Amino acid sequence: RMASKDAGPNVHPEAQSIVESFRDEFEEYHSLVEGRVVAIHDLFNAIAVQNGKPLLPPPAIAFLLDLREDQAQKEGGPIVASDQLLQAFTRMVPAKDNKEVFDEKVVSHVRDTIKRIKHAKKVMPELKPDLTELHAKCDGDSDKLFAWFKDLLPADQEVFPKEAFLGMIMRVAPDSDKVELETFLSGISTNMDESDTVEKLRACCQKHLA
């Protein structure tokens, strides 16, 4: 298996101490996502894409995190302990990289993700009533919710397809006609960044509620 090969001679001999030096960041991230594997999978895929690597299939994630048959579950998905997450990062330090390169390639994305999650946790309580009202007016219609989402995108991303909104942002089938309220709220919260202010999203909601 490709993944197990990567965990052998291609891993840095000092991988453990390199990862240990970033323990605080990794543990903060683990705490913010409550160890949810679905969130960790998203993070690892984002790191892969940023470094020009292919997306990681579920078996690779299961290998990196040492997922077991009896892995703890929460809200329908597996959760891992912080030590499992640190071990996964240990398996991601290539033999040719040093601490600084690992920081740039991997840890910087973890820090960015921590910032985004903290931002979402701060603004979502204020935005939830607006987003709930918008969803109710649209009756969860995927075309209408996508039209709202497109209005939030910067000009250079206006070609973002509806299938990507549904599959990547909402995590539903790309041909879904409807999006449940909790799915909509979760998708928006998970994909926010610091440019998504209460004012910006509220104004866009008001526009589509008018």
Side-chain angles (χ1 to χ4, degrees):
R1 272 180 9 201
M2 189 177 77
S4 41
K5 175 172 74 80
D6 288 346
N10 292 338
V11 167
H12 200 288
E14 290 167 25
Q16 207 149 2
S17 66
I18 289 173
V19 167
E20 191 62 39
S21 65
F22 299 109
R23 177 181 278 271
D24 288 352
E25 285 99 326
F26 295 148
E27 289 194 336
E28 182 176 15
Y29 169 76
H30 177 272
S31 170
L32 284 168
V33 300
E34 299 172 341
R36 288 179 301 114
V37 171
V38 65
I40 294 167
H41 195 167
D42 280 348
L43 172 68
F44 285 4
N45 274 340
I47 290 169
V49 168
Q50 292 287 340
N51 287 290
K53 299 283 197 310
L55 297 176
L56 292 160
I61 295 294
F63 165 75
L64 285 169
L65 290 166
D66 257 351
L67 290 186
R68 301 181 306 271
E69 293 289 322
D70 61 348
Q71 195 70 44
Q73 301 274 319
K74 183 174 182 177
E75 292 165 12
I79 56 172
V80 294
S82 59
D83 283 350
Q84 283 174 279
L85 178 65
L86 264 74
Q87 177 182 290
F89 280 117
T90 301
R91 290 173 162 168
M92 290 163 64
V93 189
K96 66 182 190 313
D97 289 354
N98 58 23
K99 180 180 168 180
E100 289 69 33
V101 174
F102 182 68
D103 189 354
E104 182 188 333
K105 283 185 178 176
V106 174
V107 188
S108 63
H109 298 295
V110 178
R111 288 193 199 100
D112 287 345
T113 304
I114 288 170
K115 272 191 217 156
R116 287 198 303 105
I117 295 171
K118 285 180 166 177
H119 173 72
K121 283 181 184 283
K122 191 171 78 180
V123 302
M124 276 304 284
E126 279 192 71
L127 281 168
K128 191 174 178 181
D130 302 84
L131 294 169
T132 303
E133 189 183 353
L134 173 77
H135 183 276
K137 185 180 183 195
C138 297
D139 194 26
D141 181 89
S142 61
D143 283 330
K144 291 176 181 172
L145 293 174
F146 177 58
W148 169 82
F149 177 77
K150 271 212 312 191
D151 273 353
L152 292 170
L153 294 176
D156 62 348
Q157 283 184 25
E158 281 181 355
V159 290
F160 200 89
K162 183 187 171 194
E163 293 74 23
F165 166 70
L166 291 171
M168 291 163 55
I169 308 291
M170 293 292 117
R171 293 184 164 284
V172 295
D175 57 354
S176 299
D177 295 326
K178 296 263 183 187
V179 178
E180 297 290 330
L181 174 61
E182 287 309 316
T183 303
F184 175 60
L185 294 174
S186 170
I188 296 304
S189 174
T190 303
N191 290 281
M192 268 186 174
D193 65 30
E194 288 167 290
S195 72
D196 295 314
T197 61
V198 171
E199 296 72 26
K200 176 183 166 186
L201 269 75
R202 183 168 284 158
C204 197
C205 286
Q206 295 304 327
K207 175 184 165 187
H208 285 259
L209 284 166

